[in-house]
Amino acid sequence: MEKYIISHDMGTSSDKAVLVDYNGKIAATSVEPYPTYYPNPAWVEQDPMDYFNAVCKTSSDLVKKTGIDPSQVSGIIFSTQAQGVIPVSEAGEVLYNNITWVDGRAEKQAQKIMGKVGGKKIFTLLAGTPIMGKDCIAKIIWLKEERPEIYNNAYKILDVNGFLKYKLTGRMVAELSGANGYGFDLKKKDWMSVLKYAGLDMKKLPELVLSTDIVGGLTDEAAALMGLAPGTPVLGGCDDVPAAAVGSGMCGDGDVHIYLGTSAWVCVTTATKDKFINGAAAIQSADKDMNLIAGITESAGANIQWLQDNFFKREKEELGDGIFAYMNNVIKHIPPGSDHLVCTPWMLGERCPVSSTTTRSTLFNIDMTHTREHLMKALYEGIGYNLRWIMENLEKDYGFDMSNIRIIGGGALNDGWMQMIADMSGRTISVVKDPRNAGAVGAAIIALIGLGELPGFASAKDFVEVDSVYTPNPENKKIYDELFEDYKNIYSGLKKAYDKANGRRFTGEM
């Protein structure tokens, strides 16, 4: 009887559940969206129970779609959005919405925390990187100061992965890569000691597990809601970036991949590097013996969604999912460089290559000749410029070889965008087969390792095929080289203006 893993890719906007067999073949998928709330300009929240309800619905959908017996599901695993802050009571009651990874409310707390340990320079020496208002520790201290009744009643503070594992098994834990988003010692593989000096009660942090650990079995209640068998193993799982690295097949020392989805990143797997430089973060891999150096850009596909919703609403209504093919075709008729129109993608602030909670997207150099189609291509190109900037920093700061890159995520299905990124970066890039599901497949591979069905993380490359390759056009790169300098100058030239415009506004003070 065929055996399967149910892998849940819990993104910023939806749960994508994937039924994967032991050969890495996808038998079925199910997607369930959930809403996001913006109670203040810099606040971005979600209801954790929406995650759980989505998991129940998509899991039962997979069983119904395929007609499999629930006993054929031998494991459940999550790949989740990182850096969630979900306070729960000892009874497991959610006390506050998830303060998501793009929420930037806690800048004041971030500065105060660094001041407690001697300022930004000393804090950076202790923790490896300065913190900002989007970091988990700052947002937990925000709860302590601004919502003390919530903080005091919190038994544990969980991330998205930890919350879902609790709902399925009754056990409150944190996986290593998830812990990394709070404060994690990459050498000791434990919570970072600097957290207690920041004012955090360390008892509120859960025990740590590996991505491949079996955390527990499905409770009777969770099994009934999901249409699965009680006791089905639930594994540790990991954050989305480590899962994507495995799903790209690029989880060996020095391997590079780019992810293009709601957010985007450039990521290198490494056995030795563990520094935070120019906004690039050293984080724990799904493999406990490897780290990842990840340069994450906050908003990528989300920007394309915004463009569709606000400038191509009629076409989207008429074409449905065909809107992506339409947009792909339209941008081919706009010249490289969008006739010198530049659009920065910083709709939600930025982490890398610049770290800022106040920066926002800017349309630069617009004139009477530009159309909405120019804006469309400029937005795609802006994300490409950001990725190039990150790539160049990773080469300069860490000495990584960026000549062999794979791209995964839904954005990789847009061949026009892929050619742009090849032209802008001057690098040959490869797109894997079924790039949209790479994260979910990566998590399934982790589950198979944990269940003893695969020998280790090197097995990932056997599951991943390259579907297409894009080589750079030198003529286009000349244009992009010129505009890339303009792109970087926009940030340096407007940094003070962004701070003045948004510094107080995003703290809710005006």
Side-chain angles (χ1 to χ4, degrees):
M1 185 182 292
E2 191 83 67
K3 291 286 187 180
Y4 300 93
I5 302 296
I6 292 183
S7 176
H8 290 274
D9 186 358
M10 309 297 299
T12 307
S13 57
S14 67
D15 167 30
K16 180 189 294 179
V18 180
L19 188 68
V20 184
D21 70 18
Y22 278 20
N23 295 311
K25 182 181 177 183
I26 295 173
T29 62
S30 179
V31 178
E32 181 66 17
Y34 31 75
T36 301
Y37 305 102
Y38 304 89
N40 276 306
W43 297 18
V44 188
E45 300 179 1
Q46 291 178 325
D47 183 346
M49 286 304 295
D50 286 342
Y51 304 142
F52 178 58
N53 293 334
V55 164
C56 292
K57 184 177 186 304
T58 55
S59 298
S60 59
D61 280 352
L62 291 178
V63 174
K64 291 173 185 174
K65 279 181 179 181
T66 58
I68 63 169
D69 189 282
S71 65
Q72 291 180 259
V73 177
S74 55
I76 302 163
I77 193 164
F78 297 102
S79 160
T80 61
Q81 54 174 291
Q83 296 186 307
V85 174
I86 306 173
V88 297
S89 69
E90 190 168 2
E93 177 190 4
V94 175
L95 302 178
Y96 197 84
N97 275 347
N98 178 26
I99 305 176
T100 70
W101 66 288
V102 287
D103 187 295
R105 72 182 66 189
E107 189 63 34
K108 181 169 67 175
Q109 283 74 24
Q111 298 304 318
K112 188 184 296 185
I113 289 167
M114 289 190 289
K116 280 186 176 181
V117 292
K120 183 176 179 180
K121 287 185 178 179
I122 294 176
F123 185 91
T124 302
L125 286 173
L126 293 171
T129 180
I131 60 172
M132 58 191 292
K134 292 188 174 187
D135 286 305
C136 290
I137 181 59
K139 288 184 280 199
I140 294 170
I141 300 305
W142 180 90
L143 281 173
K144 183 178 181 180
E145 295 179 352
E146 302 294 334
R147 302 291 187 273
E149 71 286 358
I150 300 295
Y151 179 84
N152 292 334
N153 289 325
Y155 173 65
K156 297 293 181 186
I157 297 173
L158 303 174
D159 62 2
V160 176
N161 198 340
F163 175 75
L164 288 169
K165 288 197 293 282
Y166 166 71
K167 293 297 290 182
L168 268 57
T169 69
R171 187 178 171 197
M172 295 185 190
V173 297
E175 181 270 334
L176 299 193
S177 70
N180 203 120
Y182 283 57
F184 185 72
D185 191 316
L186 288 169
K187 291 185 174 67
K188 296 179 180 179
K189 305 300 180 187
D190 201 357
W191 295 110
M192 192 173 282
S193 59
V194 74
L195 295 176
K196 62 185 176 184
Y197 298 114
L200 173 63
D201 179 358
M202 299 294 283
K203 293 179 181 178
K204 295 185 185 294
L205 298 177
E207 65 172 303
L208 296 170
V209 298
L210 302 181
S211 67
T212 51
D213 283 346
I214 297 175
V215 173
L218 273 188
T219 64
D220 291 347
E221 180 183 1
L225 291 169
M226 297 169 72
L228 298 173
T232 302
V234 179
L235 291 102
C238 58
D239 282 353
D240 48 10
V241 178
V246 179
S248 71
M250 304 296 274
C251 50
D253 192 16
D255 286 346
V256 186
H257 79 272
I258 291 174
Y259 170 82
L260 275 174
T262 303
S263 59
W265 59 71
V266 184
C267 183
V268 186
T269 303
T270 173
T272 57
K273 308 294 185 181
D274 60 0
K275 301 298 183 186
F276 292 68
I277 308 174
N278 282 324
I283 62 177
Q284 176 63 47
S285 169
D287 179 351
K288 66 179 177 60
D289 297 322
M290 287 285 185
N291 297 332
L292 301 172
I293 303 297
I296 299 176
T297 188
E298 299 276 58
S299 193
N303 293 3
I304 308 303
Q305 188 70 52
W306 168 84
L307 188 74
Q308 287 180 11
D309 293 343
N310 291 282
F311 293 87
F312 293 86
K313 186 174 182 179
R314 179 176 58 81
E315 290 86 350
K316 186 178 179 182
E317 289 173 353
E318 292 175 355
L319 298 171
D321 288 343
I323 184 64
F324 294 101
Y326 171 83
M327 293 175 73
N328 188 14
N329 186 58
V330 166
I331 60 175
K332 291 178 180 177
H333 302 293
I334 303 297
S338 303
D339 288 321
H340 291 262
L341 182 66
V342 179
C343 184
T344 67
W346 308 317
M347 293 276 193
L348 298 170
E350 194 51 280
R351 283 187 179 271
C352 192
V354 296
S355 295
S356 172
T357 55
T358 57
T359 301
R360 285 300 180 268
S361 186
T362 296
L363 191 62
F364 173 76
N365 214 29
I366 190 168
D367 63 36
M368 292 288 192
T369 67
H370 291 126
T371 65
R372 63 172 186 163
E373 286 75 21
H374 281 87
L375 170 59
M376 182 197 303
K377 186 154 188 172
L379 190 49
Y380 279 107
E381 289 175 332
I383 297 163
Y385 290 131
N386 224 53
L387 294 174
R388 172 177 168 175
W389 197 351
I390 295 169
M391 282 186 255
E392 292 185 356
N393 282 351
L394 292 177
E395 282 183 317
K396 172 175 61 74
D397 296 332
Y398 298 91
F400 291 134
D401 178 2
M402 309 296 289
S403 61
N404 180 22
I405 300 173
R406 288 187 181 179
I407 297 191
I408 60 173
L413 296 171
N414 185 327
D415 62 343
W417 201 5
M418 295 304 94
Q419 188 61 54
M420 272 186 263
I421 292 172
D423 293 346
M424 297 169 91
S425 66
R427 308 167 200 275
T428 298
I429 59 174
S430 304
V431 175
V432 306
K433 187 176 181 180
D434 198 7
R436 194 189 297 266
N437 291 317
V441 171
I445 293 170
I446 294 167
L448 291 172
I449 295 169
L451 294 170
E453 299 294 336
L454 290 174
F457 285 89
S459 306
K461 287 195 174 178
D462 295 334
F463 279 77
V464 179
E465 299 175 37
V466 170
D467 189 60
S468 52
V469 177
Y470 298 83
T471 57
N473 181 325
E475 291 302 312
N476 292 345
K477 187 173 186 299
K478 290 179 184 177
I479 299 166
Y480 286 130
D481 284 348
E482 178 184 344
L483 293 175
F484 180 55
E485 294 304 313
D486 294 337
Y487 179 88
K488 291 189 289 185
N489 288 336
I490 292 169
Y491 175 75
S492 58
L494 292 177
K495 185 179 184 303
K496 288 184 179 179
Y498 289 133
D499 289 341
K500 182 179 183 300
N502 298 321
R504 291 178 62 197
R505 184 166 75 96
F506 287 173
T507 61
E509 295 178 14
M510 62 181 296

